Coordinates of all heavy atoms in Angstrom, one line a residue:
Y1 N -138.4 31.4 -151.5 CA -138.7 30.8 -150.3 C -139.7 31.6 -149.5 O -139.9 32.8 -149.8 CB -137.5 30.6 -149.4 CG -136.4 29.6 -149.9 CD1 -135.7 29.9 -151.0 CD2 -136.2 28.4 -149.3 CE1 -134.8 29.0 -151.5 CE2 -135.3 27.5 -149.7 CZ -134.6 27.8 -150.8 OH -133.6 26.9 -151.3
R2 N -140.4 31.1 -148.6 CA -141.4 31.8 -147.8 C -141.3 31.4 -146.3 O -141.0 30.2 -146.0 CB -142.8 31.7 -148.4 CG -143.4 30.4 -148.2 CD -144.8 30.4 -148.9 NE -145.5 29.1 -148.8 CZ -146.6 28.8 -149.4 NH1 -147.2 29.7 -150.2 NH2 -147.1 27.6 -149.3
Q3 N -141.7 32.3 -145.5 CA -141.7 32.0 -144.0 C -143.0 32.6 -143.4 O -143.2 33.9 -143.5 CB -140.5 32.5 -143.3 CG -140.4 32.1 -141.9 CD -139.0 32.3 -141.3 OE1 -138.3 33.2 -141.8 NE2 -138.7 31.6 -140.2
A4 N -143.9 31.8 -142.9 CA -145.1 32.2 -142.3 C -144.8 32.3 -140.8 O -143.9 31.7 -140.2 CB -146.2 31.3 -142.5
P5 N -145.6 33.1 -140.0 CA -145.4 33.2 -138.6 C -145.5 31.9 -137.9 O -146.4 31.1 -138.1 CB -146.6 34.1 -138.1 CG -146.9 34.9 -139.3 CD -146.7 34.0 -140.5
G6 N -144.5 31.6 -137.1 CA -144.4 30.4 -136.3 C -143.9 29.2 -137.1 O -144.0 28.0 -136.6
K7 N -143.5 29.4 -138.4 CA -143.1 28.3 -139.2 C -141.7 28.5 -139.7 O -141.2 29.6 -139.8 CB -144.1 28.1 -140.4 CG -145.5 27.7 -140.0 CD -146.4 27.5 -141.2 CE -145.9 26.3 -142.0 NZ -146.8 26.1 -143.2
Q8 N -141.0 27.4 -140.1 CA -139.7 27.5 -140.7 C -139.8 28.0 -142.2 O -140.8 27.9 -142.8 CB -139.0 26.2 -140.7 CG -138.6 25.7 -139.3 CD -137.8 24.4 -139.3 OE1 -137.9 23.6 -140.3 NE2 -137.0 24.2 -138.3
R9 N -138.7 28.6 -142.6 CA -138.6 29.0 -144.0 C -138.6 27.8 -144.9 O -137.9 26.8 -144.6 CB -137.3 29.9 -144.2 CG -137.2 30.4 -145.6 CD -136.0 31.4 -145.8 NE -136.1 32.5 -144.9 CZ -135.3 33.5 -144.9 NH1 -134.3 33.5 -145.8 NH2 -135.4 34.5 -144.0
E10 N -139.4 27.8 -146.0 CA -139.6 26.7 -146.8 C -139.4 27.1 -148.3 O -139.7 28.2 -148.7 CB -140.9 26.0 -146.7 CG -142.1 26.9 -147.0 CD -143.4 26.2 -146.9 OE1 -143.5 25.0 -146.6 OE2 -144.5 26.9 -147.2
L11 N -138.9 26.1 -149.1 CA -138.8 26.4 -150.5 C -140.2 26.4 -151.2 O -141.0 25.6 -151.0 CB -138.0 25.3 -151.2 CG -137.9 25.3 -152.7 CD1 -137.0 26.5 -153.1 CD2 -137.3 24.0 -153.2
V12 N -140.4 27.4 -152.0 CA -141.6 27.6 -152.8 C -141.4 27.0 -154.2 O -142.1 26.2 -154.7 CB -142.1 29.0 -152.8 CG1 -143.4 29.1 -153.7 CG2 -142.4 29.5 -151.4
A13 N -140.3 27.6 -154.8 CA -140.0 27.2 -156.2 C -138.6 27.6 -156.5 O -138.1 28.6 -155.9 CB -141.0 27.8 -157.2
D14 N -137.9 26.9 -157.4 CA -136.6 27.3 -157.9 C -136.5 27.0 -159.3 O -137.2 26.2 -159.9 CB -135.5 26.8 -157.0 CG -135.4 25.3 -157.0 OD1 -135.9 24.6 -157.8 OD2 -134.7 24.7 -156.0
I15 N -135.5 27.6 -159.9 CA -135.3 27.4 -161.4 C -133.8 27.4 -161.6 O -133.0 28.3 -161.1 CB -136.0 28.5 -162.2 CG1 -135.9 28.3 -163.7 CG2 -135.6 29.9 -161.8 CD1 -136.8 29.1 -164.5
T16 N -133.3 26.5 -162.5 CA -131.9 26.4 -162.8 C -131.6 27.3 -163.9 O -132.4 27.9 -164.6 CB -131.5 25.0 -163.1 OG1 -132.1 24.6 -164.4 CG2 -132.0 24.0 -162.1
S17 N -130.3 27.4 -164.2 CA -129.8 28.2 -165.3 C -130.3 27.7 -166.6 O -130.4 28.4 -167.6 CB -128.3 28.3 -165.3 OG -127.7 27.1 -165.4
G18 N -130.6 26.4 -166.7 CA -131.2 25.7 -167.8 C -132.7 25.8 -167.9 O -133.3 25.1 -168.8
A19 N -133.3 26.5 -167.0 CA -134.8 26.7 -166.9 C -135.5 25.5 -166.4 O -136.8 25.4 -166.6 CB -135.3 27.2 -168.3
S20 N -134.9 24.5 -165.8 CA -135.6 23.5 -165.1 C -136.2 24.0 -163.8 O -135.6 24.8 -163.1 CB -134.7 22.3 -164.8 OG -134.2 21.7 -166.0
T21 N -137.4 23.6 -163.5 CA -138.1 24.2 -162.4 C -138.5 23.1 -161.4 O -138.6 21.9 -161.7 CB -139.4 24.9 -162.8 OG1 -140.3 24.0 -163.5 CG2 -139.1 26.1 -163.7
N22 N -138.7 23.5 -160.1 CA -139.1 22.7 -159.0 C -140.0 23.5 -158.1 O -139.8 24.6 -157.8 CB -137.9 22.2 -158.2 CG -138.2 21.4 -157.1 OD1 -138.9 20.4 -157.2 ND2 -137.8 21.8 -155.9
Y23 N -141.1 22.8 -157.7 CA -142.2 23.5 -156.9 C -142.5 22.7 -155.7 O -142.5 21.4 -155.7 CB -143.5 23.7 -157.7 CG -143.3 24.6 -158.9 CD1 -143.1 24.0 -160.2 CD2 -143.5 25.9 -158.8 CE1 -143.0 24.8 -161.3 CE2 -143.4 26.8 -159.9 CZ -143.1 26.2 -161.2 OH -143.0 27.0 -162.3
A24 N -142.8 23.4 -154.6 CA -143.4 22.7 -153.4 C -144.8 22.2 -153.8 O -145.5 22.7 -154.6 CB -143.5 23.7 -152.3
D25 N -145.1 21.1 -153.2 CA -146.4 20.4 -153.5 C -147.6 21.4 -153.3 O -148.6 21.3 -154.0 CB -146.6 19.2 -152.7 CG -145.7 18.0 -153.1 OD1 -145.2 18.1 -154.3 OD2 -145.5 17.1 -152.3
S26 N -147.5 22.2 -152.3 CA -148.6 23.1 -151.9 C -148.9 24.2 -153.0 O -150.0 24.8 -152.9 CB -148.3 23.8 -150.6 OG -147.1 24.5 -150.6
V27 N -148.0 24.4 -153.9 CA -148.1 25.5 -154.9 C -148.2 25.0 -156.3 O -148.4 25.8 -157.2 CB -147.1 26.6 -154.8 CG1 -147.0 27.1 -153.3 CG2 -145.7 26.1 -155.2
K28 N -148.0 23.7 -156.5 CA -148.0 23.2 -157.9 C -149.3 23.4 -158.5 O -150.4 23.2 -158.0 CB -147.7 21.6 -157.8 CG -146.3 21.3 -157.5 CD -146.1 19.8 -157.6 CE -144.6 19.4 -157.3 NZ -144.4 18.0 -157.2
G29 N -149.3 23.9 -159.8 CA -150.5 24.2 -160.5 C -151.0 25.6 -160.3 O -151.9 26.0 -161.1
R30 N -150.5 26.3 -159.3 CA -150.9 27.6 -159.0 C -149.8 28.7 -159.2 O -150.1 29.8 -159.7 CB -151.4 27.7 -157.6 CG -152.6 26.8 -157.2 CD -153.2 27.1 -155.9 NE -152.2 26.9 -154.8 CZ -151.8 27.8 -153.9 NH1 -152.2 29.0 -154.0 NH2 -150.9 27.5 -153.0
F31 N -148.6 28.3 -158.9 CA -147.5 29.2 -159.0 C -146.6 28.9 -160.2 O -146.5 27.7 -160.6 CB -146.6 29.2 -157.8 CG -147.2 29.8 -156.5 CD1 -148.6 30.1 -156.5 CD2 -146.5 30.0 -155.4 CE1 -149.2 30.7 -155.4 CE2 -147.1 30.5 -154.2 CZ -148.4 30.8 -154.2
T32 N -146.0 29.9 -160.8 CA -145.1 29.6 -161.9 C -143.8 30.5 -161.7 O -143.9 31.7 -161.6 CB -145.7 30.0 -163.3 OG1 -146.9 29.2 -163.5 CG2 -144.7 29.7 -164.4
I33 N -142.7 29.9 -161.7 CA -141.4 30.6 -161.6 C -140.8 30.7 -163.0 O -140.8 29.8 -163.8 CB -140.4 29.9 -160.6 CG1 -139.2 30.7 -160.4 CG2 -140.0 28.5 -161.2 CD1 -138.3 30.2 -159.2

C-alpha cells in the first residue's frame, strides 16, 4: 500500500499464496509484485 501527503492509504498491489496478483490501475504495466 502507499500513502501520499494529503491522501488516503491505497492498495498498490497484492499477491495471494497461490501467486495470483492484483494491481491498482495507476501502476498496471509498470509495477510487478
Side-chain angles (χ1 to χ4, degrees):
Y1 292 71
R2 67 185 181 186
Q3 187 167 22
K7 299 181 65 177
Q8 293 184 333
R9 185 175 299 187
E10 64 177 356
L11 173 69
V12 177
D14 59 21
I15 183 168
T16 69
S17 59
S20 296
T21 58
N22 177 56
Y23 297 93
D25 289 340
S26 60
V27 306
K28 287 181 179 178
R30 300 189 297 120
F31 292 8
T32 302
I33 188 171

